[in-house]
Amino acid sequence: MTLIDTSAATTGGPALTQERRLVTAIPGPRSQELLARKSAAVAAGVGHTAPIAAVAAGGGVVVDADGNSLIDLGSGIAVTSVGNAHPKVVEAVQRQAAQFTHTCFMVSPYEGYVAVAEALNRLTPGDFPKKSALFNSGAEAVENAVKIARKATGRQAVVAFDHAYHGRTNLTMALTAKAMPYKSGFGPFASEVYRAPMSYPYRDGLSGPEAAAKAISVIEKQVGADNLAAVIIEPIQGEGGFIVPAEGFLPAISQWCTANGVVLIADEVQSGFARTGAMFASEHFGIVPDMVTTAKGIAGGLPLAAVTGRAEIMDAAHVGGLGGTYGGNPIACAAALATIEVFETEDLSDRAREIEALMLSRLETMQAADPRIGDIRGLGAMIAIELVDPATKAPAAALAGAVAKRCIAEGVIVLTCGTYGNVLRFLPPLTIGDALLSEGLDVVAAALAAEVAA
Ligand code: PLZ
């Protein structure tokens, strides 16, 4: 067994020098060595975006085994919003790990789990009585939200939207829209899942109410309200392309759900926890979902997920009907409590709005000079640009891929997304400094410019 030399950076957290630093080509020799071991030992289906061997991360950077320091515009897909290895999270994890690592909450309950549930019941939208249940991953939270909604309504059908992403387990693959890479060859998929058209202002040209009327018509005619347990929607779609629905879309869907006894589940796995400049993205649209699924940003990088909802819906599942060996693991709960404290005491929603202002002004300047940036959208520190052929608006997926690759080679981690693969998304940790964020966007601009020349 060879262990990666971490001497390039032995401690993470914000103490790491906040700089972009390239000391080798990416990937450097040590990273290459790990990637060779990865391809020999890890199933080919598990891909990676940045070809590096990460050894430390914090603030706004990820450091690799060769000593390169990359600007992080991805946060491990919207997870490390409080910054990687935040000292308060590290301290909470260490303290809890030394106390006990596991009892199984269903065997011997402990306070951390209950305290996380209390915090979620307080923080999620809606001032009615709420309850929560904890799980390990976003997909598992979504699965459980659907289970609970079915039990509560006595109905089976679930509606998800075009461009939706809800996970990779069997039910959540069915809910997810995109075939490649998430679904192809992995069926058969769960039944009683139906798809409605999403509001996608850049491409459908519809107002929110128009797009909602279209979706509601599909739901009423093709599913039937009486058969429908739940409508699940990401208030801002993540993997599907950071699609922000037109104004009025979400309220209309929400009102229709209420009028028809259908449970509205907001999947805030990617958009939750200060990411969009509010604790939850639902708040921007004035909707109060019956249930909210959360994960990612909740625990500073530890695996934790939750379903929070109206108490009477959450209590519909019989005793013993919900659970899992690790759901609400005590270390993950300790991390979540520390993370939530950081969100609140450091006012990271406010920081997300500052990041939005900085990113939008930079991206708008770029767009004015480059019509291949067809659309700029998103809220807070969840911003994306959709790259297109300026003449036809046809998605420019190859361009997006090439720009992201070039950025990574230049020391900036940039992720793509979108049904058409043509969206560059920016999800920096909320602890990134302005100078570093600005430098990251300089690199994005240079990469886009270089792809004209190329
Ligand atoms: N719901 C809205 O964004 C996870 C997927 C990464 P898990 N998104 C990142 C990948 O390619 O696997 C996500 C999401 C929304 C649910 C999920 C699923 O969360 O924690 O990955 O299961």
Side-chain angles (χ1 to χ4, degrees):
M1 185 178 67
T2 340
L3 280 184
I4 295 267
D5 177 5
T6 56
S7 59
T10 47
T11 48
L16 283 179
T17 309
Q18 295 296 301
E19 64 177 3
R20 179 170 68 107
R21 183 179 68 238
L22 292 178
V23 295
T24 69
I26 301 238
R30 287 179 173 155
S31 294
Q32 282 178 32
E33 209 180 298
L34 181 73
L35 295 175
R37 282 169 58 197
K38 177 191 180 244
S39 52
V42 179
V46 186
H48 60 261
T49 303
I52 60 167
V55 296
V61 298
V62 175
V63 175
D64 76 9
D66 297 289
N68 299 300
S69 172
L70 290 82
I71 298 176
D72 184 7
L73 298 186
S75 300
I77 322 188
V79 171
T80 53
S81 300
V82 295
N84 223 306
H86 189 289
K88 287 192 176 140
V89 175
V90 171
E91 207 263 321
V93 164
Q94 286 172 338
R95 195 169 2 99
Q96 180 57 47
Q99 202 68 26
F100 64 96
T101 51
H102 174 83
T103 61
C104 185
F105 188 74
M106 301 181 303
V107 176
S108 309
Y110 40 87
E111 189 189 1
Y113 187 119
V114 177
V116 171
E118 288 167 348
L120 288 167
N121 298 344
R122 172 172 64 84
L123 291 170
T124 49
D127 50 12
F128 38 76
K130 282 176 246 162
K131 288 198 173 179
S132 293
L134 305 185
F135 304 96
N136 301 295
S137 67
E140 211 189 337
V142 169
E143 291 256 355
N144 279 278
V146 171
K147 275 168 67 172
I148 298 166
R150 283 176 168 159
K151 195 78 202 281
T153 57
R155 304 171 180 174
Q156 294 187 349
V158 184
V159 162
F161 287 82
D162 286 334
H163 314 290
Y165 183 93
H166 298 292
R168 295 177 182 267
T169 58
N170 189 262
L171 173 60
T172 61
M173 271 194 294
L175 294 167
T176 290
K178 193 174 176 178
M180 270 305 270
Y182 308 122
K183 302 168 77 167
S184 278
F186 297 141
F189 304 112
S191 58
E192 287 306 313
V193 171
Y194 301 87
R195 197 162 305 286
M198 175 69 183
S199 167
Y200 190 165
Y202 178 62
R203 292 197 175 274
D204 69 14
L206 299 177
S207 71
E210 285 165 352
K214 199 171 144 196
I216 289 166
S217 168
V218 167
I219 297 170
E220 287 180 339
K221 301 304 169 206
Q222 299 182 27
V223 188
D226 292 349
N227 304 309
L228 186 56
V231 166
I232 180 161
I233 190 160
E234 301 152 83
I236 297 177
Q237 288 183 319
E239 305 304 307
F242 281 27
I243 300 166
V244 184
E247 194 184 333
F249 178 79
L250 288 171
I253 298 288
S254 170
Q255 280 155 24
W256 182 88
C257 286
T258 305
N260 289 279
V262 173
V263 176
L264 178 65
I265 305 169
D267 183 348
E268 294 244 22
V269 165
Q270 188 151 170
S271 58
F273 290 102
R275 174 58 50 188
T276 65
M279 202 46 125
F280 293 97
S282 294
E283 297 165 37
H284 295 292
F285 304 97
I287 58 161
V288 179
D290 301 303
M291 286 171 125
V292 179
T293 53
T294 52
K296 290 189 185 283
I298 190 175
L302 276 283
L304 188 72
V307 183
T308 302
R310 289 181 185 275
E312 67 274 18
I313 295 176
M314 294 299 294
D315 280 340
H318 45 273
V319 175
L322 304 175
T325 305
Y326 294 114
N329 166 272
I331 301 172
C333 285
L337 292 171
T339 300
I340 290 168
E341 195 190 312
V342 172
F343 279 128
E344 296 196 295
T345 56
E346 295 180 15
D347 198 359
L348 290 185
S349 290
D350 191 50
R351 178 63 190 145
R353 290 190 294 272
E354 286 172 14
I355 289 174
E356 170 185 318
L358 193 156
M359 289 206 283
L360 287 184
S361 85
R362 292 295 312 272
L363 294 170
E364 279 158 13
T365 307
M366 280 161 64
Q367 186 186 38
D370 190 342
R372 295 173 304 168
I373 301 179
D375 196 22
I376 303 171
R377 57 179 179 251
L379 284 167
M382 185 175 183
I383 302 283
I385 53 177
E386 177 161 355
L387 301 181
V388 297
D389 175 335
T392 62
K393 257 171 116 164
L399 174 64
V403 170
K405 212 171 153 194
R406 206 180 268 274
C407 288
I408 292 165
E410 292 298 324
V412 181
I413 298 175
V414 171
L415 308 176
T416 60
C417 66
T419 296
Y420 314 109
N422 63 325
V423 177
L424 291 176
R425 57 172 151 174
F426 308 112
L427 291 162
L430 305 178
T431 48
I432 196 170
D434 283 356
L436 208 58
L437 177 57
S438 231
E439 186 181 341
L441 294 171
D442 289 341
V443 171
V444 173
L448 253 173
E451 288 300 325
V452 179

